[in-house]
């Protein structure tokens, strides 16, 4: 607030039968900060309804790659690292780490991970491998929906030496035997292939299942068909009803 001022105005609603009095609907923390720094006046949005639910009811987390680009753009326009650190209330080393986060990362891997919440340490591990392996690891991270630094370390540890930037020296292999590493490499490679296959077929299979469930729902809405299954095939009717009442499939249809 000290560095940039108020970006988003407070939201107020005029009190009935009073002159110049308002209820604060949104921005209570901003209001307390403004009072603490001695700000005498502030811009406000005057609401037409006494309802604060619609204001800031969703939070969109900024992916680290997008944050990196925003920091670079601010630095390019002359904003100092120190001022950025004060504005974001973080240590200046944090700004520098995010500034250099994608150094040594190929553009294809960056594109794959641009919307993922991969941290700075995860990218630090990723730059230990060569570009083609970076792309493979990025694809596995997306397929498994797992971007933690521990997971990336595991994938780096199971990378063949010829795909490492510094060979075996770049791996963190403390506590691991050669047999353990070989087994991890084999299992990780197999899991990567399986996840890619599942990712490719998942959308199509889900769509087909949703269509089938919609057809079953229409069948069971027919009283004669429902009665027939109840009398002659009750075990099949139970399974059909489980599919029709599945919450996850209902969400897919919406």
């Amino acid at each position: 607030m000290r560095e940039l001022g108020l970006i988003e105005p407070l939201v107020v609603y005029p009190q009935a039968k009073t002159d110049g009095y308002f209820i604060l609907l949104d921005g209570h923390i901003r209001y307390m900060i403004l009072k603490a720094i001695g700000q005498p006046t502030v811009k406000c949005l005057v609401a037409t309804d006494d309802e604060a639910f619609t204001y800031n009811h969703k939070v969109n987390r900024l992916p680290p790659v997008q944050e990196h680009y925003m920091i670079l753009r601010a630095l390019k326009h002359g904003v100092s690292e120190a001022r950025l650190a004060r504005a974001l209330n973080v240590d200046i080393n944090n700004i520098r780490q995010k500034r250099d986060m994608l150094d040594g990362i190929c553009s294809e891997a960056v594109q794959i991970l641009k919307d993922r919440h991969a941290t700075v340490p995860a990218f630090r591990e990723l730059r230990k491998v060569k570009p083609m392996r970076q792309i493979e690891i990025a694809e596995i991270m997306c397929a498994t929906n797992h971007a933690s630094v521990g997971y990336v370390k595991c994938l780096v540890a199971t990378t063949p030496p010829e795909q490492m930037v510094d060979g075996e020296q770049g791996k963190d292999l403390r506590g691991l035997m050669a047999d353990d590493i070989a087994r991890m490499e084999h299992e990780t490679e197999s899991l990567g292939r399986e996840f890619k296959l599942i990712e490719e077929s998942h959308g199509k299979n889900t769509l087909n299942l949703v269509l089938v469930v919609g057809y079953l729902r229409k069948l069971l809405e027919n009283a004669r068909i429902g009665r027939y299954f109840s009398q002659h095939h009750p075990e099949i009717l139970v399974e059909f009803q489980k599919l029709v009442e599945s919450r996850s499939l209902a969400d897919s249809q919406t």
Side-chain angles (χ1 to χ4, degrees):
M1 196 78 76
R2 287 190 178 95
E3 291 297 321
L4 304 176
L6 183 67
I7 296 175
E8 189 172 355
L10 308 181
V11 181
V12 297
Y13 178 74
Q15 284 189 298
K17 299 180 181 179
T18 60
D19 186 19
Y21 287 87
F22 297 82
I23 300 173
L24 181 60
L25 297 180
D26 183 70
H28 294 80
I29 296 178
R30 279 167 278 161
Y31 173 72
M32 289 189 294
I33 293 173
L34 289 165
K35 284 186 65 177
I37 64 177
Q39 183 76 22
T41 60
V42 62
K43 292 182 178 180
C44 297
L45 295 175
V46 181
T48 58
D49 190 13
D50 183 7
E51 176 57 69
F53 177 75
T54 56
Y55 297 98
N56 293 329
H57 68 290
K58 291 183 179 178
V59 176
N60 293 320
R61 303 290 180 187
L62 188 67
V65 171
Q66 304 302 324
E67 189 176 3
H68 161 81
Y69 287 134
M70 289 181 65
I71 289 173
L72 288 185
R73 185 174 181 180
L75 294 173
K76 182 179 178 180
H77 284 76
V79 181
S80 67
E81 294 174 355
R83 189 180 182 191
L84 273 175
R86 289 195 302 270
L88 299 175
N89 194 29
V90 296
D91 187 87
I92 193 170
N93 289 325
N94 185 284
I95 297 295
R96 289 168 179 166
Q97 288 175 2
K98 292 180 179 179
R99 177 199 64 191
D100 302 332
M101 184 178 72
L102 299 183
D103 289 355
I105 308 297
C106 69
S107 58
E108 292 84 357
V110 173
Q111 185 67 19
I112 294 170
L113 296 173
K114 66 179 182 179
D115 296 322
R116 302 286 171 169
H117 288 277
T119 60
V120 172
F123 280 104
R124 192 180 301 128
E125 291 295 320
L126 194 59
R127 67 169 65 107
K128 294 179 181 179
V129 300
K130 294 181 179 179
M132 288 305 298
R133 181 58 176 165
Q134 290 179 5
I135 296 170
E136 290 178 0
I137 292 177
E139 289 176 344
I140 294 173
M141 291 165 67
C142 292
T144 58
N145 195 27
H146 202 341
S148 69
V149 61
Y151 187 62
V152 178
K153 278 186 176 181
C154 179
L155 294 173
V156 170
T158 57
T159 299
E162 62 271 16
Q163 295 187 38
M164 297 289 298
V165 173
D166 296 323
E168 292 287 352
Q169 296 179 358
K171 296 185 180 183
D172 185 2
L173 304 177
R174 289 171 292 183
L176 293 176
M177 304 296 291
D179 291 343
D180 297 329
I181 297 170
R183 186 168 57 254
M184 287 172 61
E185 289 178 357
H186 176 71
E187 292 177 353
T188 303
E189 185 178 354
S190 299
L191 283 173
R193 287 196 301 265
E194 291 174 7
F195 271 115
K196 287 181 181 178
L197 289 173
I198 291 171
E199 188 180 33
E200 290 173 1
S201 60
H202 175 73
K204 182 179 179 181
N205 292 339
T206 301
L207 176 60
N208 289 336
L209 188 55
V210 168
L211 294 174
V212 169
V213 168
Y215 178 71
L216 287 177
R217 183 175 290 109
K218 289 185 177 181
L219 282 181
L220 296 183
E221 287 174 354
N222 187 308
R224 293 177 61 187
I225 294 176
R227 187 164 55 250
Y228 174 83
F229 274 109
S230 179
Q231 293 174 356
H232 301 282
H233 302 285
E235 70 285 355
I236 297 178
L237 178 61
V238 171
E239 297 302 320
F240 281 174
Q241 288 174 334
K242 286 180 181 178
L243 281 171
V244 169
E245 295 170 3
S246 172
R247 182 68 261 171
S248 60
L249 288 173
D251 292 340
S252 297
Q253 289 179 292
T254 57

